[in-house]
């Protein structure tokens, strides 16, 4: 197979593109010819060796998202067959062939393209798991989505809207704030220069939001907690900009706030979340936002764009 990989950690110059041995499906695996996959922030962490990420294989191939056509299945797999269009969560997906467990391989909904499918599993699933499974958002509630231009944020806004919620978003540039409102936020706040708490209070008649979806961490944590209404829920699925937060315990007990993390759900829970998300996408309620599309040979450009944060939505790779 053709793959983008690196054998050491460091700058963009460690990235290589070349032939690696084809993966062999185990009894419960699906081998997919990858038509589209995507970049996740963690691919940059893996390449850099930051956030405690270690190389997982001598030739480390990044990526976890797959949209493509089933090439072969393991002996125990009956849910999909060669030739099926699928979307899946696997590993080593920045390649022309990739493996996924059958339980995390789903039919690509009719009318949904490979690029949209390849943009979906990791970011979309995390946003859905955080909002629907963990925070249990309800129609009529108000949700604050931090860093709306991220993969997680761009899905989070749309999932909350699809569930009947009002959405306030934050983003670091005027362009991203316009884009956030274009996918369903009714207000977008500058998370570097605006007072998030005041903006939220003004937009909610002083009450605050019912739920905060965060994946930024330290720089926004205090504002996130202070933006919550009584009985509000804070849910995190990432710590892009720092993992330490200062918490005023008085706010927690007086306001009855709940703090939660998305955790590492087992495959059964991930599958249930993916089915819910794919139904929303199939019905057109959620439309994965594609920021840019690169070929495998342009892997360094894809990493560079991810590092810059100068994009809205998901960076897609088409091997
Ligand atoms: N738990 C899981 O399974 C899971 C799954 C997916 C993602 N994640 C994690 O969730 C995070 C987001 O992932 P992603 O792929 O969606 O990220 P992404 O697309 O790379 O977006 C990262 C965002 O972080 C924002 N940001 C960076 N520094 C900031 C700061 N100081 N203040 C405010 N915002 C800041 C940027 O917003 P601006 O440019 O607008 O400032 C950018 O939009 C990552 O940490 C990732 O590892 C976890």
């Amino acid at each position: 197979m053709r793959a983008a990989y690196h054998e050491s950690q460091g700058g963009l110059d460690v990235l290589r593109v070349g032939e690696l041995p084809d993966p062999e499906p185990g009894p419960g695996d699906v081998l997919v010819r990858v038509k589209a996959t995507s970049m996740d922030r963690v691919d940059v962490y893996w390449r850099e060796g930051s956030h405690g990420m270690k190389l997982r294989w001598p030739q480390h191939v990044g990526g976890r998202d797959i949209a493509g056509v089933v090439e072969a299945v393991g002996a125990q797999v009956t849910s999909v067959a060669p030739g099926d269009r699928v979307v899946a969560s696997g590993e080593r997906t920045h390649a022309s062939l990739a493996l996924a467990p059958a339980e995390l391989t789903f039919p690509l909904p009719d009318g949904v393209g490979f690029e949209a499918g390849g943009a979906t599993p990791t970011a979309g699933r995390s946003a859905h798991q955080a909002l629907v499974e963990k925070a249990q958002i309800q129609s009529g509630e108000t949700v604050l989505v931090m860093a709306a231009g991220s993969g997680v944020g761009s899905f989070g806004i749309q999932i909350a809207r699809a569930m009947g919620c009002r959405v306030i978003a934050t983003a670091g540039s005027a362009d991203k704030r316009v884009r956030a409102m274009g996918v369903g936020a009714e207000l977008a706040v500058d998370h570097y220069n605006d007072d998030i708490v005041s903006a939220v209070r003004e937009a909610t008649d002083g009450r605050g939001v019912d739920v905060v979806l965060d994946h930024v961490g330290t720089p926004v944590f205090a504002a996130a907690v202070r933006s919550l209404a009584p009985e509000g829920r804070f849910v995190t699925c990432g710590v892009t900009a720092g993992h330490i937060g200062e918490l005023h315990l008085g706010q927690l007990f007086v306001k009855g706030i709940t703090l939660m993390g998305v955790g590492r759900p087992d495959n059964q829970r991930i599958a249930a979340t993916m089915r819910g998300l794919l139904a929303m996408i199939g019905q057109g309620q959620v439309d994965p936002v594609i920021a840019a599309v690169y070929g495998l040979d342009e892997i360094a450009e894809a990493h560079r764009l991810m590092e810059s944060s100068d994009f809205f939505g998901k960076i897609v790779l088409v091997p």
Side-chain angles (χ1 to χ4, degrees), residues 39-42 45 64 122-123 125-126 147-153 170-173 176 191-192 215-216 219-220 237-241 262-264 306 309 311 313-314:
M39 290 287 301
D40 284 307
R41 180 70 42 178
V42 74
Y45 301 158
R64 295 179 286 178
T122 306
R125 189 268 296 172
S126 297
S150 61
V152 171
T170 79
S173 72
K176 290 189 188 186
H191 52 219
Y192 297 118
H215 51 88
V216 172
V220 300
C237 69
V239 286
T240 302
V262 78
R264 300 211 180 280
M306 178 59 90
S309 282
F311 64 93
K314 287 291 296 177

Side-chain angles (χ1 to χ4, degrees), residues 23-33 69-75 77 80-84 86 97-100 102 105:
E24 292 283 333
D29 291 335
V30 179
L31 179 66
V32 184
R33 183 150 298 277
V69 177
V70 175
E71 184 90 358
V73 297
V77 177
V80 292
D84 288 359
V86 294
L97 288 169
L99 291 175
T105 303

Side-chain angles (χ1 to χ4, degrees), residues 196-287:
I196 296 173
V197 181
S198 299
V200 163
R201 288 197 181 138
E202 199 174 315
T204 57
D205 296 327
R207 186 176 166 273
V209 294
D210 301 289
V211 171
V212 175
L213 170 60
D214 183 43
H215 51 88
V216 172
T218 306
V220 300
F221 181 65
V225 174
R226 288 184 58 225
S227 295
L228 285 168
E231 306 297 332
R233 292 96 79 200
F234 168 93
V235 59
T236 173
C237 69
V239 286
T240 302
H243 58 276
I244 304 291
E246 196 170 298
L247 183 62
H248 189 302
L249 291 169
Q251 287 177 12
L252 201 67
F253 90 81
V254 170
K255 288 171 77 177
I257 284 168
T258 303
L259 303 178
M260 56 190 116
V262 78
R264 300 211 180 280
D266 60 24
N267 283 356
Q268 227 177 346
R269 279 169 57 202
I270 293 176
T273 294
M274 278 298 291
R275 280 192 281 271
L277 175 60
L278 290 170
M280 287 179 170
I281 294 173
Q283 289 158 16
Q285 294 173 305
V286 172
D287 186 12

